[in-house]
Amino acid sequence: MLWHHVGLMSQDLDTAGLAKAYEPISVEEKWYQAWIDGKCFAGDPSSEKDGYSIVIPPPNVTGILHLGHVLNNTIQDVLARRARMQGKEVMWLPGTDHAGIATQTKVERELKKATGESRRDMGREAFLKKVWDWKDEHGGIIIKQLKRLGCSCDWDRERFTMDEDYTHWVSHTFSDLFKKGMIYRGKRMVNWCPVSLTALSDEEVIMKPQQSTLYFMKYEFVDAPGEYLEISTTRPETLMGDVAVAVNPKDERFTKAIGRKVRRPFPEAEIPVIADDHVDVEFGTGALKITPAHDKADFEIGVRHDLEVIDCLTADGKINCEDVPELHGLDRFAARKIAAQMLEDKGLLIRAEDYANNVGFSERADVPIEPRISMQWFLRYPEVERTAAAVESNEITFRPERWSKTFAHWMSNIQDWCISRQLWWGHQIPVWYRKDKSTELQNAESLDLADMQSGDIHVGTEPPADAENWVRDEDVLDTWFSSWLWPFATMAKQGEESDLLKKFYPTTDLVTGPDILFFWVARMIMAGYSERDELPFKNVFFTSLIRDGKGRKMSKSLGNSPDPIEIMDKYGSDGLRFTLMRIAPLGGDIRFVSKEEEGELVCPQVEEGRNFANKIYNACRFRQMSGGETTGELDVSALKPYHINLLAKLDALEVNLDKAYADYKFNEVCNLLYEFLWNEFCDLFLEAVKGDLKDTAADADRQATLMVFDTVMSRYFLLLHPFMPHLTEELSLRMGYISEGEFVMQTQLPKDSVLAGYDPTEAQKVAQSIYDAAGRLRNVKAEYNVATRRDVTFIAKTSVDYLEAESPVLCQLAGAGEIQIDPNYEAPKGTPVAVTSVGEMYMPLAGLIDVEAEKARLDKEIEKNALELKKSTNKLSNEKFVANAKPEVVQVERDRLAEWEAKASQLAEMRAALDA
RNA sequence: GCUCGGUUAGCUCAGUGGUAGAGCAUUGCAUUGACAUUGCAAGGGUCAGAGGUUCAAAUCCUCUACCGAGCACCA
């Protein structure tokens, strides 16, 4: 094997000229460039291999990387890299989302700050140009950051939801669904954002608990002055829109009121008392004022009773009621207080109570939304039943599985989707109105397929031929109306059966957060069935939610979201990747601890990941300081038990990894990798074979150990690669496991096990009994406070044949000076003993221990042992246990009992000896 | 209100019926030659509570409490 020095970039070099610690930054940068130059990420649609594909959940084009992205994309990268190494042709398709409201709001805000202009001052065309400029300037940031993380996306195929091809798909889908009668336009009650000045879908409204005031007021009966009907409301400012008061028909208190009229105080009007089942008898006074224009439920009641709709708010949430000059033009919240005051002045306010209720907030602008009647486009969701069934039957699997229940619940209560937005940044609705009828059409109560068939409107991907006679609908589509096409719209132009689609669609895995289950995942399945007649992906993996050290959601406003780039610069992207994957359980949340110490960002969990990288690096450094090239083939039959044990453990590791991967348990994969390297490889194996690498060692021993080291480490790097791609490339090259120009990421995982055909049982028994014995000897030493002495002699009362040969290793591991073997040894009473799997090992006390302290310790020990002994005895004297438990379980218990008994007599002897 | 999670060491969490585990933190000890980003050890648990099933429960069932999420909401 070739042999290179590991890392030469540090100031802190040891005598061999090797850096003492792994320094990730330059290594990571170098390898990412090498992968790009080597075109390692390209997915080839003409490949013979099986296809494997993932589409990235497109981040907002102006977004900045946060830890959620890091987790999400690391999982995808792990899946992609693993699939490549398993011989699949992998396509990980990246891109970004135009993120309608988010981006437009951001640019508008910047514009306001810079020039004081609003988008309306500029006009649509000029504003859109500004947004495109902004996108070009800031759009690349998150992509660069993903590259820093090591993501193996096929960057040549990067897509954007407003690319020309993509836009064509959006228009096509709209017109397709319109022609199927699934899309219609109508005046409906929608969620209106008074800040963004657009309609929102139900999913974009976040219910938040609020501390409000419930006002109790009274309306006077018209036919009985001095007699009042008491009403409670949280929104007195919409009083001008009241057109009725409703009571429950079953409510006997109000039976006599129904059908009569009460006086609305301002602007003064007579409004009827009506009966409707919707009214809750228990709530407030039991009488509900009806404001159809400003409440969804009231609107429905209004429809049932054919009531007038009086809109008394402007689009931006100000009062619009010239008849009440005190309120006209005021903001809705300011007006609320004035309206209450006006009621009080008129003697109509009874009292005001503090009241906790839920108010819908706009997801983006974070202000209370306003239920508002407006003209919007709606979609009746297509393929609802097929979509629900696909998840129900596990044709599409959800992980964790429980999300499928949430999904089913949502699917069964699905409402039409309001898809139009009163924004400029986005896909303009592909509907044109005949110019001469445009006003009439745009104000029509409803529009649907029939209007297209009559030739009044044009719906399609292209404008009508005589475009000058037509006016295009001004609205744009909800961002998700483009995102829901992502799995296939990224792969081909509309109407084209590309190689890419053939090879890579449907995609294999989708990795995303559960927060966009309805926004995105559900809709993609529906779009897949509707537009491609096929499901868009086979597996959905929902990532954990990342919280801060205090369990709070990470958010910009809390400032508790550390910058992943800063973390990577400090600990390396491999360290961060490994850490996150190791602490993210399937389904649960993650707590990510970060703190500021002396002006520096400290992430203790990531330190572990960084330390792990360093541990591996140093194991390799040790290898290189201990010898160079090896020659010849590995001859398993000539190896020591420690070698064979390690090889067997590697084989077991590969089997266990396969299992964990099959369940998408990445944290388990990481733990297996971590434990193997740190415990099995470094703490046990390397310590056991250290003697073989000393200058004085025999050349054959050195060669064997080096060869096993290289065999195991080179394979281990393949297994670790998906999590720590940069480190594994670097060390594999430096160690000569791959040659210049080769890549670990393109190396196939070996199909055969290392020990194929060789039975390691006997060798493993030897190695493991020595490891076990070493641990027990160390325990005894520690108990007697001689842990640090390396000159302790043990006397082994045993006839185990291999002990003599292995005793140097045992000494090395246990920190013992010498192990004498004497099967007939008669220990003086009270000599401490370790009962090991290679026999009893006595540690004669050189009279150096503190007798009183030892007595106390022994007494404690005796008590503890007696308790265990009693537990075991009780269990075994239980006939039902012996009869019903599995034989091996009973046997384990018997062995245990024997152990307690032996120990009890030993302890008693030792105690007695001390007394003497 | 409905539906799903969760509650295990000081902290973060593993643990699908058979001796309660890991990492971090704490404490003690160690250091010339892989690694102080290290090694060896120690202390630390009524597995949220109550009941049930079982020879045996952290684990299965029921209820309760608290925490979290989603959905629906009463003005």
Side-chain angles (χ1 to χ4, degrees):
Chain A
M1 281 183 175
L2 289 171
W3 187 78
H4 308 258
H5 276 285
V6 175
L8 289 165
M9 63 292 286
S10 176
Q11 308 301 315
D12 185 17
L13 303 179
D14 64 10
T15 48
L18 305 176
K20 283 186 120 165
Y22 177 59
E23 289 163 11
I25 287 198
S26 56
V27 169
E28 292 179 350
E29 198 176 316
K30 180 184 79 182
W31 280 103
Y32 202 84
Q33 194 54 50
W35 291 323
I36 296 279
D37 294 344
K39 302 209 179 305
C40 298
F41 303 157
D44 177 7
S46 65
S47 164
E48 298 282 303
K49 302 182 204 167
D50 288 346
Y52 174 96
S53 52
I54 301 179
V55 288
I56 204 169
N60 290 359
V61 66
T62 58
I64 291 178
L65 194 75
H66 56 66
L67 279 171
H69 293 122
V70 173
L71 175 65
N72 184 300
N73 288 287
T74 301
I75 293 171
Q76 294 173 67
D77 198 39
V78 165
L79 288 169
R81 286 177 185 272
R82 172 94 176 164
R84 281 191 199 94
M85 296 173 84
Q86 283 176 325
K88 305 267 174 60
E89 185 63 32
V90 172
M91 159 66 67
W92 181 13
L93 208 157
T96 50
D97 190 294
H98 68 281
I101 298 189
T103 306
Q104 173 165 323
T105 311
K106 203 178 271 182
V107 177
E108 275 185 291
R109 205 180 300 139
E110 289 299 318
L111 202 62
K112 195 98 197 169
K113 223 194 290 174
T115 67
E117 272 187 304
S118 77
R119 73 182 217 242
R120 284 172 211 284
D121 296 335
M122 292 184 79
R124 187 166 189 145
E125 211 167 307
F127 177 74
L128 283 179
K129 190 178 174 305
K130 267 270 180 279
V131 187
W132 276 106
D133 290 348
W134 176 274
K135 181 246 167 193
D136 290 340
E137 195 178 328
H138 298 92
I141 294 177
I142 193 155
I143 296 297
K144 264 198 214 114
Q145 293 177 315
L146 288 172
K147 291 176 178 172
R148 172 74 183 87
L149 184 62
C151 293
S152 60
C153 303
D154 187 348
W155 297 110
D156 293 339
R157 299 200 191 271
E158 188 184 331
R159 297 286 187 267
F160 178 52
T161 49
M162 280 174 68
D163 286 345
E164 203 180 309
D165 291 347
Y166 200 105
T167 300
H168 201 248
W169 265 111
V170 174
S171 302
H172 171 78
T173 302
F174 182 97
S175 106
D176 178 58
L177 289 167
F178 184 87
K179 284 168 191 164
K180 287 177 181 160
M182 308 297 283
I183 289 177
Y184 60 91
R185 185 169 181 269
K187 235 181 188 174
R188 296 291 140 96
M189 184 62 96
V190 294
N191 308 298
W192 182 264
C193 175
V195 169
S196 307
L197 301 180
T198 178
L200 301 172
S201 66
D202 295 342
E203 287 67 38
E204 288 164 288
V205 177
I206 317 275
M207 298 305 280
K208 289 194 194 178
Q210 293 294 300
Q211 228 13 272
S212 319
T213 307
L214 185 60
Y215 299 92
F216 288 80
M217 56 189 196
K218 53 188 185 180
Y219 284 5
E220 190 173 33
F221 279 102
V222 173
D223 57 7
E227 194 186 325
Y228 294 92
L229 181 60
E230 292 185 6
I231 303 163
S232 48
T233 180
T234 52
R235 300 203 64 189
E237 76 276 16
T238 61
L239 189 149
M240 300 81 80
D242 286 6
V243 291
V245 175
V247 296
N248 192 301
K250 293 192 200 78
D251 192 339
E252 289 172 9
R253 293 174 296 175
F254 301 115
T255 312
K256 279 186 275 176
I258 297 167
R260 293 161 71 189
K261 290 199 164 169
V262 292
R263 202 177 306 284
R264 184 182 70 195
F266 48 84
E268 208 167 290
E270 294 176 6
I271 57 175
V273 178
I274 58 170
D276 195 285
D277 286 332
H278 170 80
V279 181
D280 181 353
V281 178
E282 303 289 318
F283 189 87
T285 62
L288 168 65
K289 71 188 194 70
I290 304 299
T291 323
H294 301 296
D295 183 280
K296 212 175 166 186
D298 288 9
F299 179 75
E300 283 158 18
I301 292 172
V303 170
R304 282 201 284 276
H305 297 266
D306 198 21
L307 299 172
E308 190 191 353
V309 176
I310 305 173
D311 189 339
C312 56
L313 285 175
T314 60
D316 59 350
K318 293 194 171 69
I319 304 296
N320 179 25
C321 183
E322 288 176 8
D323 295 339
V324 184
E326 298 95 322
L327 298 176
H328 183 66
L330 284 182
D331 178 80
R332 50 191 170 148
F333 300 111
R336 181 171 302 172
K337 289 188 185 126
I338 307 284
Q341 187 60 48
M342 287 166 68
L343 284 169
E344 184 156 26
D345 294 345
K346 289 177 189 289
L348 297 174
L349 187 70
I350 303 164
R351 64 181 191 278
E353 279 180 6
D354 285 344
Y355 176 60
N357 65 343
N358 285 323
V359 175
F361 276 67
S362 147
E363 190 201 16
R364 286 292 161 193
D366 199 31
V367 293
I369 58 109
E370 202 54 63
R372 186 165 197 253
I373 295 161
S374 69
M375 189 68 82
Q376 303 291 343
W377 288 95
F378 294 88
L379 168 70
R380 277 187 271 272
Y381 283 103
E383 304 284 359
V384 173
E385 280 169 31
R386 210 168 154 195
T387 298
V391 175
E392 166 87 40
S393 68
N394 273 337
E395 200 180 336
I396 297 176
T397 58
F398 278 12
R399 271 171 246 267
E401 213 241 319
R402 62 190 159 83
W403 288 110
S404 53
K405 200 156 183 180
T406 308
F407 177 82
H409 186 245
W410 186 77
M411 289 300 292
S412 64
N413 293 301
I414 201 164
Q415 306 276 318
D416 289 356
W417 176 11
C418 174
I419 52 173
S420 46
R421 296 289 177 275
Q422 287 65 54
L423 305 172
W424 289 349
W425 176 244
H427 301 98
Q428 196 170 349
I429 289 181
V431 173
W432 287 260
Y433 306 96
R434 285 177 60 121
K435 219 174 217 168
D436 48 345
K437 287 175 128 183
S438 151
T439 315
E440 179 195 333
L441 285 166
Q442 296 207 42
N443 289 323
E445 282 295 311
S446 72
L447 281 180
D448 56 23
L449 193 52
D451 298 276
M452 190 179 81
Q453 283 156 350
S454 71
D456 287 340
I457 65 172
H458 168 88
V459 182
T461 53
E462 301 298 328
D466 54 337
E468 66 280 5
N469 297 323
W470 297 78
V471 185
R472 187 167 186 175
D473 194 298
E474 295 249 315
D475 289 353
V476 301
L477 288 161
D478 182 1
T479 299
W480 299 102
F481 194 89
S482 57
S483 316
W484 76 329
L485 312 176
W486 187 251
F488 53 85
T490 45
M491 288 199 191
K493 281 189 179 173
Q494 187 264 309
E496 180 185 293
E497 282 313 307
S498 72
D499 293 346
L500 216 53
L501 273 174
K502 270 183 222 146
K503 185 78 195 170
F504 296 115
Y505 189 85
T507 62
T508 318
D509 290 320
L510 177 79
V511 181
T512 190
D515 51 330
I516 51 174
L517 172 56
F518 309 136
F519 275 115
W520 196 45
V521 180
R523 288 166 177 169
M524 275 193 289
I525 303 173
M526 292 188 261
Y529 279 135
S530 162
E531 302 307 302
R532 302 289 313 166
D533 199 26
E534 214 170 355
L535 46 79
F537 32 71
K538 298 183 193 104
N539 306 298
V540 184
F541 183 90
F542 291 104
T543 57
S544 313
L545 189 71
I546 304 188
R547 300 176 174 280
D548 70 3
K550 291 175 186 147
R552 300 172 304 180
K553 236 180 192 169
M554 284 195 174
S555 75
K556 240 184 252 167
S557 55
L558 277 173
N560 59 352
S561 177
D563 176 10
I565 298 297
E566 200 182 334
I567 299 174
M568 286 190 261
D569 285 346
K570 183 164 179 190
Y571 299 107
S573 69
D574 287 345
L576 177 59
R577 290 165 61 111
F578 190 82
T579 297
L580 274 185
M581 296 298 281
R582 194 153 98 98
I583 62 180
L586 174 57
D589 291 353
I590 299 179
R591 279 193 195 215
F592 188 91
V593 181
S594 66
K595 52 199 172 190
E596 195 91 12
E597 262 171 31
E598 291 160 19
E600 236 192 299
L601 182 67
V602 177
C603 307
Q605 292 153 306
V606 188
E607 277 178 14
E608 271 187 63
R610 186 259 329 249
N611 294 355
F612 183 51
N614 189 56
K615 187 78 180 174
I616 301 169
Y617 168 87
N618 270 295
C620 289
R621 192 164 72 104
F622 178 52
R623 153 73 178 89
Q624 293 191 307
M625 292 165 76
S626 313
E629 286 185 49
T630 55
T631 49
E633 288 291 305
L634 190 69
D635 176 9
V636 175
S637 61
L639 295 176
K640 291 185 181 178
Y642 314 100
H643 298 138
I644 292 167
N645 181 56
L646 182 69
L647 295 170
K649 292 281 182 177
L650 178 69
D651 283 341
L653 174 68
E654 290 179 0
V655 171
N656 292 332
L657 287 185
D658 277 342
K659 257 186 252 162
Y661 269 116
D663 293 336
Y664 289 69
K665 288 186 174 170
F666 302 108
N667 60 333
E668 199 169 316
V669 171
C670 287
N671 275 326
L672 288 166
L673 288 166
Y674 187 89
E675 280 164 19
F676 176 84
L677 191 284
W678 207 297
N679 304 334
E680 205 62 52
F681 193 91
C682 290
D683 291 348
L684 296 176
F685 170 73
L686 276 188
E687 292 304 322
V689 299
K690 240 172 196 175
D692 295 343
L693 301 176
K694 290 200 171 120
D695 293 344
T696 51
D699 200 49
D701 287 343
R702 178 200 311 278
Q703 284 282 312
T705 289
L706 291 181
M707 243 189 268
V708 170
F709 186 113
D710 290 337
T711 303
V712 172
M713 194 57 95
S714 59
R715 271 179 94 124
Y716 179 79
F717 282 152
L718 300 183
L719 303 173
L720 179 64
H721 178 264
F723 298 88
M724 303 189 119
H726 312 88
L727 172 87
T728 48
E729 292 281 9
E730 174 72 8
L731 291 180
S732 292
L733 178 64
R734 294 291 170 193
M735 300 292 287
Y737 303 155
I738 56 172
S739 314
E740 200 80 48
E742 290 179 340
F743 295 98
V744 173
M745 74 165 287
Q746 290 182 327
T747 308
Q748 300 298 292
L749 290 167
K751 292 206 165 54
D752 54 322
S753 56
V754 196
L755 281 177
Y758 184 90
D759 180 7
T761 317
E762 280 307 307
Q764 281 202 274
K765 219 171 104 189
V766 173
Q768 284 176 6
S769 66
I770 295 297
Y771 291 150
D772 167 76
R776 286 173 195 266
L777 296 189
R778 280 197 304 254
N779 279 335
V780 173
K781 285 175 69 190
E783 274 172 30
Y784 289 87
N785 272 325
V786 291
T788 58
R789 292 179 60 161
R790 308 226 146 228
D791 57 353
V792 178
T793 298
F794 283 93
I795 301 169
K797 186 178 179 181
T798 178
S799 51
V800 170
D801 55 355
Y802 56 79
L803 184 58
E804 185 161 8
E806 304 306 336
S807 75
V809 172
L810 185 52
C811 284
Q812 161 82 19
L813 293 172
E818 188 189 358
I819 290 169
Q820 297 170 5
I821 298 171
D822 179 359
N824 304 314
Y825 179 63
E826 289 295 329
K829 283 203 178 233
T831 309
V833 64
V835 181
T836 77
S837 44
V838 289
E840 293 173 358
M841 301 193 119
Y842 291 88
M843 183 176 79
L845 295 169
L848 290 174
I849 56 158
D850 178 339
V851 175
E852 286 312 310
E854 179 54 17
K855 276 185 186 171
R857 193 192 64 79
L858 270 181
D859 287 341
K860 222 169 123 188
E861 192 75 8
I862 286 166
E863 200 179 314
K864 239 164 115 181
N865 191 64
L867 201 77
E868 296 294 347
L869 182 66
K870 199 173 153 197
K871 259 162 81 177
S872 257
T873 312
N874 286 347
K875 205 160 177 182
L876 282 167
S877 60
N878 180 341
E879 285 167 26
K880 288 180 177 172
F881 167 68
V882 179
N884 296 338
K886 288 184 210 136
E888 58 266 31
V889 171
V890 178
Q891 191 51 48
V892 164
E893 200 57 46
R894 290 214 171 98
D895 294 348
R896 211 174 281 151
L897 179 65
E899 210 176 296
W900 302 134
E901 278 170 346
K903 200 169 172 195
S905 59
Q906 275 156 19
L907 287 168
E909 273 181 19
M910 286 158 74
R911 187 67 178 77
L914 280 178
D915 282 333

